[in-house]
Amino acid sequence: MSVKETQVNILIGALLLNGFFGVVGFFVVEDYFPYLGGILFGVIIALLNFRLLFLTLDRAVKMPPAKAQAYATSRYFIRYVITGVVVYVSIRAQHINVLGTILGLISLKLVIFKTQLFNSKAYFKNIFKRKEEK
Amino acid sequence: MEPITGKALVLAASAIGAGLAMIAGIGPGIGQGYAAGKGAEGVGRQPEAQGDIVRTMLLGAAVAETTGIYGLIIALILLFANPLIGLL
């Protein structure tokens, strides 16, 4: 699978997962629209950060190792500050629910786990299979 | 001298807690930098594997970055939306 395909898969997965969170929130959360706004805000920033991460790494691998190390670390802190501003804004703004934003930001990790790590049914079957069984 | 109130104590402890939580943000930065350095070495050694290297590094770095975000969220909530003050 190419890097572009991986990114598209993760983008689609993140949108689907957050759509699911949005639907579940409709039945669970009292104040629905701030929650939905939070999810939307969170997932957009998470996806933009993910794209920024790709651009950083794509550029870093063409550099000398020592320079790549400093470059990747400095870019990480820029993305970290962006995330910090986003969380701060969602805490301060009344019309955005901070829990929705956090869910949107973190959903990317769940999508990566689902699409890249736990993507084989045989893996789940083998968990409950005893080694002595043939 | 005024005695220390419960609220002031909670706020002071929250500020210290927020500072400690921010330490979690340093680790992924160092780790990502280290991975990028090794990735650059790998691409230098085997240029045709660049796509695979970037892809693996991208997924690893994205997962690692979320760990830093956890600490950041805890710190910001302790500072700006402290739930403990309401308990006093």
Side-chain angles (χ1 to χ4, degrees):
Chain A
M1 200 188 286
S2 72
V3 186
K4 197 174 178 184
E5 276 175 41
T6 310
Q7 286 182 74
V8 171
N9 280 351
I10 288 171
L11 186 136
I12 294 169
L15 293 178
L16 284 176
L17 182 67
N18 283 287
F20 173 71
F21 285 152
V23 172
V24 170
F26 183 74
F27 300 105
V28 177
V29 182
E30 265 181 37
D31 215 358
Y32 179 61
F33 285 102
Y35 170 78
L36 197 65
I39 283 190
L40 211 63
F41 191 38
V43 76
I44 287 170
I45 297 297
L47 288 172
L48 289 176
N49 266 346
F50 187 64
R51 179 71 189 159
L52 213 55
L53 176 65
F54 165 71
L55 294 176
T56 302
L57 293 179
D58 198 40
R59 210 167 152 191
V61 290
K62 290 168 192 155
M63 290 178 172
K67 211 177 165 189
Q69 200 167 339
Y71 180 72
T73 308
S74 65
R75 286 303 177 108
Y76 163 76
F77 282 109
I78 292 173
R79 285 195 305 280
Y80 198 62
V81 169
I82 292 172
T83 314
V85 171
V86 166
V87 177
Y88 176 75
V89 167
S90 68
I91 287 173
R92 284 287 176 205
Q94 294 298 316
H95 54 277
I96 301 175
N97 187 338
V98 67
L99 289 178
T101 310
I102 292 168
L103 218 55
L105 283 172
I106 287 169
S107 63
L108 216 61
K109 185 178 190 170
L110 302 175
V111 172
I112 291 173
F113 277 157
K114 169 71 185 70
T115 56
Q116 309 292 327
L117 201 60
F118 302 116
N119 52 0
S120 123
K121 281 182 185 170
Y123 173 81
F124 290 104
K125 280 181 186 167
N126 287 338
I127 291 176
F128 301 106
K129 209 177 194 180
R130 289 178 68 92
K131 281 183 181 168
E132 302 88 58
E133 284 179 23
K134 293 283 176 187
Chain B
M1 200 172 115
E2 285 179 33
I4 298 171
T5 60
K7 192 179 174 184
L9 194 63
V10 168
L11 282 176
S14 300
I16 293 170
L20 290 174
M22 284 303 285
I23 296 173
I26 300 170
I30 296 169
Q32 257 182 44
Y34 193 74
K38 291 291 175 192
E41 271 179 32
V43 171
R45 212 177 295 129
Q46 217 177 341
E48 70 276 6
Q50 189 186 329
D52 282 340
I53 290 172
V54 171
R55 184 175 161 270
T56 312
M57 214 155 62
L58 178 69
L59 297 172
V63 170
E65 205 166 292
T66 323
T67 314
I69 295 175
Y70 292 149
L72 182 70
I73 289 167
I74 298 294
L76 288 174
I77 285 181
L78 278 177
L79 286 178
F80 300 111
N82 199 329
L84 301 174
I85 292 177
L87 298 177
L88 286 176

